[in-house]
Amino acid sequence: MFSKDTKYNFKLKTAFIMLVTVCVQATAQTTAWKPASFEIVKSKYKTFKTAQYAHVFSGSKHNIARLAPELQGLTGIELPLDKYKNENNAPLQLKFKEQVQVLIGVFQENNSDYLQADKFQNVKLILENGLTITGLPPVNVYAISFSKGTQTLNFGKGLFAVLGVVKASEKLEPRNANFPDGKLWNPTFIVEGFSDEKPLFEVIGGENKPVIDEGMSGTEGIQGGFEGGRVVKVGDMYHMFPTERAGEKGVDYYYDRVKTKIGHWTSKDAIHWKRESTIYQASGTYAVTEDDNPMNDRRAAIWSYMPIFNEKANKWYGYYLAYTVSKEIEPNHSFGRIWRCESTVDGIDGIGGPYKNIGIIMEPGLDSLPWEGRQGVASFFPYQVGDKYFGFYSGAYPFNSWADYPKKSGKGWFVALAESKSLEGPWLRMNKGLEPIKTMHPLFVENPIVSQLPNGMYIAIFDGGPDGWGHHLPNMIAYSLSADGINWAEAHYLPIETKVDKWWDIMRTPLCLIPEGNDVYTIVYNAIDLKRRFHPTGMVKVKLNKDVMESKLKELKK
């Protein structure tokens, strides 16, 4: 699992929260500028609402990641990226009913691909570093005055962004918004509903606050909240098996990720939850050596419980992760091992267990590869394809080579596939000697859960990576599609905050994609509010577009 569990990083997080608070206070007096209406003449360019995730250029994946509040809600124009970079574009004509100011985003890089600010006349710099567009240089925002009537915006060669049009009377107070370079978000990513592609899923609503939060019944003794696991639905009952970051009272937050539990919760509506039992409890015992040594407690932390019903055996199997933990080395979770357990109660209703351990099915060994890193094996999810079984297994904090073992690890969260003839195993790593699956995302894929859509296409829903702690990742729930269960397509990301109130700073792990009928699916997820130690659980509903689903399958089969 993703880990930042040292006192040093706790100080960093505290500093980050203080910085965010200062920035919020500094910008509290800014308000959105009032827009002026306009009409696009003689072109079919689309417009966009200037807001987070807005798709700024057609023919690209670039999105707004940060923006000054003054720009919020204005209407921008989607310019074709390649045409403007190569000056193959027709001049942009706009018709105004009054005198206006057009807001232009200029990229701060002396490169012929980008329009240079010295090409303008009678302009005013109003926002230095006024917004961040993924994969592109820092952006300064200029205001250019135009009179009433049809006007031509022909600035010459180079890409720029049209971010909005405001009334001439609007007072535009210059300032430095201090937003970061968009190239930190590299590669760019596809956000559902904010690109040239039609979305596979529409976010249709959900709960505007956590469904499980600190102080609710069942959370007693859970200091740090939840992260990861799985939710399944049996009949009309939801069953959740989250990792409970139990920790201890009076012990700092880092121990929440060491002393963990696997809980069993139930619900009739995925909103009101009842804690039923503890499936497993980690020891919370720190290692005595830095290497993968049997002297250490290899079940010191337990994570990522995945219940799977084995129809052939007529019982529930559980697959979960057990770590060695260290006080001295980051990440403090190390040398993951995947255990399999079985319910002692036969049948579909035996999901609550109790469970008995059968043994380890995957662990660090001679067939491990350096990319699995210090945390590998860091998660496991099995699924059936025909008469075979495949399993996503993961690694994190990779080694460049085994010479870096055990301390010198890099950054990256990757997955690959194992295969077996049965759910019992043995499980063998596929593609030995090759890199992990990077078609989904080259830097971050964590905790994928696989199911099938109505047309048989496989879908993996997973943690898309945090935008925080020095990482510039999408910070959204992600999904990837596959026609054969082996080859996986580029990830798409679900901006659920467009339809539910955003109570989190950092989005973490989705626990399910459960079909409810009428093409509606339930997602239960964990997320982090940086102002709090407790990590709550939320719920959202999405609707599947079957036409898009069929077109996606055709694309994958080409």
Side-chain angles (χ1 to χ4, degrees):
M1 300 293 292
F2 183 78
S3 179
K4 284 279 179 181
D5 297 323
T6 63
K7 291 182 179 179
Y8 173 74
N9 281 295
F10 179 72
K11 292 177 181 177
L12 282 180
K13 288 183 190 179
T14 303
F16 173 76
I17 294 168
M18 293 173 65
L19 177 61
V20 169
T21 302
V22 169
C23 290
V24 169
Q25 291 172 345
T27 61
Q29 301 305 311
T30 61
T31 56
W33 290 322
K34 294 179 182 178
S37 63
F38 65 90
E39 179 185 338
I40 302 173
V41 181
K42 294 182 181 178
S43 84
K44 296 182 179 179
Y45 294 164
K46 297 178 181 179
T47 60
F48 64 85
K49 180 181 178 181
T50 305
Q52 189 176 30
Y53 308 135
H55 185 230
V56 182
F57 303 109
S58 60
S60 80
K61 302 174 187 174
H62 302 288
N63 295 82
I64 294 175
R66 301 278 191 278
L67 78 161
E70 296 97 319
L71 301 172
Q72 182 71 37
L74 296 178
T75 300
I77 301 173
E78 261 189 38
L79 303 180
L81 182 138
D82 289 337
K83 286 185 177 181
Y84 271 77
K85 274 192 172 183
N86 300 321
E87 204 178 10
N88 296 325
N89 57 290
L92 176 63
Q93 290 187 309
L94 301 178
K95 185 176 181 180
F96 307 116
K97 295 179 179 179
E98 60 184 315
Q99 188 175 353
V100 299
Q101 301 176 84
V102 178
L103 306 184
I104 303 295
V106 177
F107 299 100
Q108 301 175 53
E109 187 168 295
N110 189 13
N111 183 315
S112 61
D113 286 342
Y114 305 111
L115 178 68
Q116 301 301 304
D118 59 11
K119 300 294 184 181
F120 297 132
Q121 293 181 347
N122 302 317
V123 299
K124 179 182 180 182
L125 175 60
I126 54 170
L127 288 172
E128 292 183 71
N129 305 299
L131 74 162
T132 300
I133 300 176
T134 58
L136 293 172
V139 183
N140 284 341
V141 180
Y142 291 82
I144 307 176
S145 295
F146 287 94
S147 58
K148 179 181 176 180
T150 299
Q151 306 292 340
T152 300
L153 282 67
N154 191 7
F155 304 123
K157 185 177 185 298
L159 186 68
F160 62 96
V162 180
L163 301 171
V165 179
V166 299
K167 295 178 180 293
S169 59
E170 187 74 24
K171 293 182 179 180
L172 309 181
E173 297 295 336
R175 71 182 183 94
N176 191 337
N178 293 305
F179 285 118
D181 186 343
K183 289 188 174 181
L184 294 170
W185 281 261
N186 189 17
T188 53
F189 46 87
I190 302 171
V191 182
E192 290 279 88
F194 291 91
S195 75
D196 294 333
E197 301 180 23
K198 290 184 178 179
L200 178 63
F201 291 105
E202 177 191 359
V203 181
I204 59 174
E207 294 301 297
N208 290 319
K209 60 183 179 179
V211 295
I212 306 180
D213 207 347
E214 187 173 17
M216 291 183 178
S217 177
T219 64
E220 301 85 1
I222 303 174
Q223 316 305 314
F226 305 91
E227 185 181 331
R230 191 186 186 197
V231 176
V232 296
K233 193 174 184 182
V234 178
D236 63 353
M237 184 71 74
Y238 297 88
H239 295 262
M240 178 168 60
F241 296 84
T243 302
E244 299 173 347
R245 298 158 37 92
E248 279 187 10
K249 289 184 178 179
V251 179
D252 213 342
Y253 92 102
Y254 64 89
Y255 196 55
D256 299 348
R257 297 182 62 88
V258 177
K259 192 171 184 181
T260 57
K261 298 177 183 179
I262 304 299
H264 175 210
W265 296 66
T266 59
S267 174
K268 287 281 191 178
D269 56 10
I271 299 172
H272 304 90
W273 291 89
K274 177 185 177 184
R275 193 178 191 279
E276 301 286 353
S277 65
T278 298
I279 303 297
Y280 286 110
Q281 165 76 64
S283 71
T285 304
Y286 283 102
V288 295
T289 71
E290 295 175 341
D291 59 344
D292 188 12
N293 193 310
M295 292 176 61
N296 300 323
D297 187 334
R298 289 172 167 172
R299 293 174 60 87
I302 293 175
W303 289 82
S304 192
Y305 187 93
M306 300 293 173
I308 305 289
F309 187 67
N310 185 338
E311 292 185 3
K312 185 176 180 180
N314 191 35
K315 64 175 59 180
W316 285 92
Y317 287 3
Y319 299 83
Y320 66 94
L321 165 65
Y323 278 126
T324 301
V325 293
S326 170
K327 278 187 177 180
E328 307 300 329
I329 301 177
E330 185 188 334
N332 66 350
H333 293 101
S334 304
F335 317 124
R337 287 173 161 80
I338 305 300
W339 285 75
R340 185 176 75 84
C341 60
E342 296 181 0
S343 176
T344 60
V345 180
D346 290 345
I348 195 76
D349 294 327
I351 188 169
Y355 285 81
K356 63 178 180 181
N357 280 322
I358 303 301
I360 295 169
I361 62 163
M362 288 194 77
E363 63 182 326
L366 295 177
D367 57 349
S368 297
L369 297 171
W371 68 261
E372 295 179 33
R374 186 170 171 84
Q375 282 196 335
V377 181
S379 71
F380 185 81
F381 188 89
Y383 58 97
Q384 188 171 4
V385 178
D387 59 356
K388 281 189 174 182
Y389 289 87
F390 296 99
F392 272 116
Y393 72 97
S394 70
Y397 292 88
F399 301 121
N400 286 327
S401 71
W402 288 124
D404 292 337
Y405 172 89
K407 285 187 176 182
K408 190 179 177 183
S409 59
K411 294 293 174 68
W413 292 261
F414 306 113
V415 294
L417 289 175
E419 62 181 332
S420 175
K421 294 180 179 179
S422 71
L423 282 169
E424 292 81 9
W427 290 91
L428 302 175
R429 289 167 170 83
M430 296 174 63
N431 304 322
K432 185 174 181 181
L434 301 180
E435 290 298 306
I437 300 169
K438 293 187 177 181
T439 53
M440 300 162 78
H441 188 280
L443 300 174
F444 198 105
V445 177
E446 191 171 66
N447 295 324
I449 293 175
V450 179
S451 56
Q452 284 183 278
L453 296 175
N455 64 351
M457 186 163 49
Y458 295 88
I459 181 168
I461 187 167
F462 58 92
D463 178 352
D467 181 6
W469 305 316
H471 301 277
H472 298 283
L473 291 160
N475 204 38
M476 287 177 275
I477 294 167
Y479 75 83
S480 174
L481 301 172
S482 173
D484 58 9
I486 300 173
N487 299 288
W488 291 88
E490 182 178 10
H492 286 57
Y493 298 84
L494 300 174
I496 66 175
E497 58 266 47
T498 59
K499 292 292 178 67
V500 299
D501 293 345
K502 186 179 179 184
W503 51 262
W504 63 90
D505 297 298
I506 295 177
M507 175 58 66
R508 290 314 316 270
T509 312
L511 279 65
C512 60
L513 182 67
I514 296 175
E516 306 289 11
N518 297 320
D519 302 322
V520 173
Y521 289 75
T522 296
I523 299 174
V524 178
Y525 61 92
N526 302 135
I528 298 172
D529 177 348
L530 284 171
K531 298 182 290 297
R532 304 169 55 201
R533 175 173 176 172
F534 192 95
H535 297 178
T537 296
M539 186 276 282
V540 67
K541 300 277 189 179
V542 298
K543 189 174 181 66
L544 175 71
N545 185 320
K546 284 188 173 179
D547 291 337
V548 175
M549 176 184 69
E550 295 300 339
S551 65
K552 295 275 188 186
L553 182 58
K554 289 178 182 178
E555 290 174 12
L556 292 173
K557 286 184 173 181
K558 286 182 180 178

